[in-house]
Amino acid sequence: MSIKQVLVIGGGAGGILAAGRAAELGAEVTLLEKMERPGKKVLLSGNGRCNLSNTRDIGEFITMFGPNGRFLYHAFHHFFRDDLLKLLAALGVMTLAEPDGRIFPVSGKSTDVVKALQKYMSGRGVKVLTGVKVTAIEIADNSTVSVKTSAAGYPADSVVLATGGASYPQTGSTGDGYRMAAKLGHSIVSLRPALVPLTVKERQAAASLQGISLSDARLTSFSCRAEDIDVAATPRADRGRGLVTGKSRSPVVESRRGSIVFTQDGLSGPAALLMSLAVADAMKAGPVSLAIDLQPGKTLLQLSEDLKTVICAHGGRQVKSILNELLPERIALAVLMKAGVPADTGASQVTAIQRQAITRALKGLAFNVEGVRPLTEAMVTAGGVSLKEVDPRTMQSKIIRGLYFCGEVLDLDADTGGFNLQAAFSTGYMAGECAARAR
Ligand SMILES: Cc1cc2nc3c(=O)[nH]c(=O)nc-3n(C[C@H](O)[C@H](O)[C@H](O)COP(=O)(O)OP(=O)(O)OC[C@H]3O[C@@H](n4cnc5c(N)ncnc54)[C@H](O)[C@@H]3O)c2cc1C
């Protein structure tokens, strides 16, 4: 039996696993990477700590990808978290889970993960060529025959397209794979930024809060204008992908409790990033707004009672100095402005109506969404090669024989938490295995 030639395009999480696994099964594997070294996005991941997987079970993982998650069923059942952790341990990288379920290398260094992945490839004889940009995949009789760069051609029995998404182009993911797949007849589901900061229409107000970070707020997006938000409709529990959605006809798009950061033109931080895709999608149907609950631990009623007590106890102080004990000064001023209460009002002068207005502003500091930051700034690209045209049991194209896909080039994206990397590793492993065994 002749030795199979497998060409892997792209040396990210998916491509590396595909190359290593195909070589492990005896294929002659060449990985072509256009950057000066593989794994640049893995290096950036998890703020340089590499959140490589999660302790949740397969069912929960799948829900984190929305309806498309079902595509991952076979790949996850074939090579999942424990397999990945075992592989990494054999390569010298021990991992640990944080209380929230996210898994990182014990060293806290993504460089250790990239070094281990390189060892996985070199130990199995993968030929890695860097600084080589693939421009096309050549086919004959509907089967892959070679991969072309501007300088050379590489014959291939099987090709794994592992070029990633189109975000963070400085890591090498510039969307080349979508163009190559489209040229071969694959449909590309429209590319959208996911896990990206939100921008708001109230630019001046946002800019005045720039740099402030709140560790515990509830951010809720509503499918209406900011003026029309009913603060009482803010859910008390999170709503969003991977979570029980609650009322189906609610104006709430998503709601997340966590940290937020004010940016020059809007909001970032985990709570904002997580809802960005749902917000962008909801904007196609009409205006979307945001309400920030600055006191998420208290109900409207509790907060109103607490404010009454504090204001009565400190009648001689200015209302802004009372709020300042709860919040950073600039936010306190924004709350008072929204409530229409002058900042220097003496606490004893605050009327019941003003107190209610302050309570509502604290429970729902509102902004109109303008949009989301561009794809290049997104942590993940939503959309990609249509899953309808890829066999989930092998990752092989249903259109071109010998063509396999893995990782973010596929129409798959999940929330933060290690799900995206695990999907790239799992689909890469499966694509490599099937590419080596095919035909
Ligand atoms: C800042 C940031 C932090 C993140 N943190 C996390 C995290 O902590 N946990 C998590 O699960 N996910 C995280 N993600 C997402 C995760 O990193 C990606 O989903 C994952 O790396 C995708 O892997 P991939 O192999 O599909 O693609 P990529 O890692 O993007 O790799 C694709 C590779 O293909 C190469 N390539 C592209 N075109 C060509 C071509 N024409 N010829 C040759 N080579 C080519 C690229 O140079 C690149 O090396 C993060 C993303 C970003 C941007």
Side-chain angles (χ1 to χ4, degrees):
M1 207 175 72
S2 65
I3 294 177
K4 205 140 288 163
Q5 303 273 345
V6 175
L7 254 290
V8 178
I9 310 173
I16 293 175
L17 264 274
R21 181 59 181 155
E24 209 159 41
L25 294 175
E28 197 169 294
V29 184
T30 306
L31 182 141
L32 304 174
E33 166 54 53
K34 77 172 174 193
M35 303 303 278
E36 70 288 1
R37 60 172 171 173
K40 287 199 110 177
K41 200 169 263 183
V42 179
L43 280 180
L44 283 186
S45 67
N47 276 328
R49 291 175 61 217
C50 189
N51 172 203
L52 49 92
S53 191
N54 198 287
T55 54
R56 295 197 194 191
D57 64 27
I58 290 185
E60 289 176 292
F61 254 76
I62 284 175
T63 63
M64 299 312 292
F65 289 82
N68 283 0
R70 277 170 303 185
F71 177 86
L72 289 164
Y73 182 87
H74 295 281
F76 281 163
H77 275 276
H78 189 60
F79 182 86
F80 194 49
R81 174 194 49 242
D82 292 349
D83 308 298
L84 174 67
L85 301 190
K86 216 161 106 189
L87 176 66
L88 289 172
L91 294 164
V93 174
M94 303 314 289
T95 49
L96 60 78
E98 298 206 330
D100 63 4
R102 293 178 303 155
I103 299 176
F104 294 88
V106 171
S107 68
K109 290 186 193 151
S110 57
T111 43
D112 290 346
V113 177
V114 173
K115 277 185 206 151
L117 293 175
Q118 281 175 323
K119 201 160 130 192
Y120 179 49
M121 291 197 290
S122 59
R124 280 142 192 89
V126 175
K127 197 164 150 194
V128 178
L129 303 180
T130 54
V132 178
K133 180 180 170 180
V134 173
T135 51
I137 298 164
E138 305 274 277
I139 58 160
D141 293 336
N142 252 17
S143 296
T144 51
V145 288
S146 68
V147 158
K148 253 180 65 177
T149 70
S150 52
Y154 299 83
D157 295 310
S158 304
V159 174
V160 180
L161 190 61
T163 44
S167 57
Y168 273 67
Q170 65 274 31
T171 63
S173 336
T174 51
D176 298 359
Y178 304 125
R179 290 184 281 277
M180 286 187 249
K183 224 167 163 191
L184 297 176
H186 274 277
S187 322
I188 308 299
V189 175
S190 74
L191 306 180
R192 288 111 67 219
L195 302 178
V196 72
L198 305 167
T199 60
V200 298
K201 290 187 177 160
E202 296 82 356
R203 283 293 165 90
Q204 232 179 331
S208 74
L209 301 173
Q210 184 181 1
I212 295 176
S213 155
L214 300 173
S215 59
D216 185 19
R218 173 168 291 287
L219 182 66
T220 304
S221 42
F222 289 88
S223 50
C224 63
R225 289 174 313 165
E227 309 78 274
D228 300 327
I229 290 175
D230 173 10
V231 172
T234 302
R236 299 214 65 199
D238 285 2
R239 287 211 201 152
R241 188 148 73 164
L243 302 165
V244 180
T245 48
K247 277 191 283 172
S248 59
R249 293 189 60 211
S250 156
V252 171
V253 178
E254 281 207 14
S255 184
R256 306 274 182 172
R257 184 169 173 177
S259 55
I260 55 170
V261 181
F262 289 89
T263 63
Q264 194 189 4
D265 55 8
L267 282 174
S268 189
L273 297 178
L274 282 175
M275 68 178 63
S276 59
L277 183 60
V279 164
D281 285 346
M283 286 186 76
K284 290 177 198 148
V288 175
S289 52
L290 300 169
I292 304 167
D293 182 348
L294 298 159
Q295 295 289 301
K298 293 178 182 170
T299 62
L300 261 175
L301 196 65
Q302 283 165 343
L303 184 61
S304 167
E305 288 302 312
D306 287 359
L307 260 188
K308 190 173 168 183
T309 310
V310 185
I311 284 175
C312 287
H314 301 280
R317 286 169 61 182
Q318 289 186 340
V319 66
K320 78 171 174 200
S321 89
I322 292 177
L323 284 195
N324 229 343
E325 282 177 19
L326 297 176
L327 300 163
E329 186 180 359
R330 282 184 284 156
I331 299 263
L333 292 176
V335 165
L336 289 172
M337 189 183 285
K338 166 140 199 249
V341 179
D344 55 2
T345 308
S348 61
Q349 312 296 307
V350 173
T351 65
I353 290 175
Q354 285 179 321
R355 203 180 60 239
Q356 288 310 323
I358 295 171
T359 308
R360 276 197 304 277
L362 282 169
K363 292 296 283 178
L365 190 61
F367 296 90
N368 285 291
V369 178
E370 184 191 65
V372 296
R373 296 289 305 167
L375 184 56
T376 49
E377 294 176 29
M379 277 169 75
V380 185
T381 307
V385 172
S386 170
L387 303 181
K388 289 187 192 136
E389 297 160 1
V390 180
D391 184 343
R393 288 161 305 178
T394 58
M395 299 296 140
Q396 186 172 203
S397 161
K398 290 181 184 170
I399 299 173
I400 308 290
R401 204 143 50 96
L403 175 63
Y404 296 79
F405 298 96
C406 64
E408 216 177 299
V409 74
L410 289 163
D411 179 18
L412 289 168
D413 68 279
D415 287 350
T416 52
F419 308 106
N420 289 297
L421 274 175
Q422 179 68 58
F425 289 131
S426 295
T427 53
Y429 190 89
M430 185 178 241
E433 182 165 315
C434 296
R437 287 193 168 140
R439 285 198 257 185

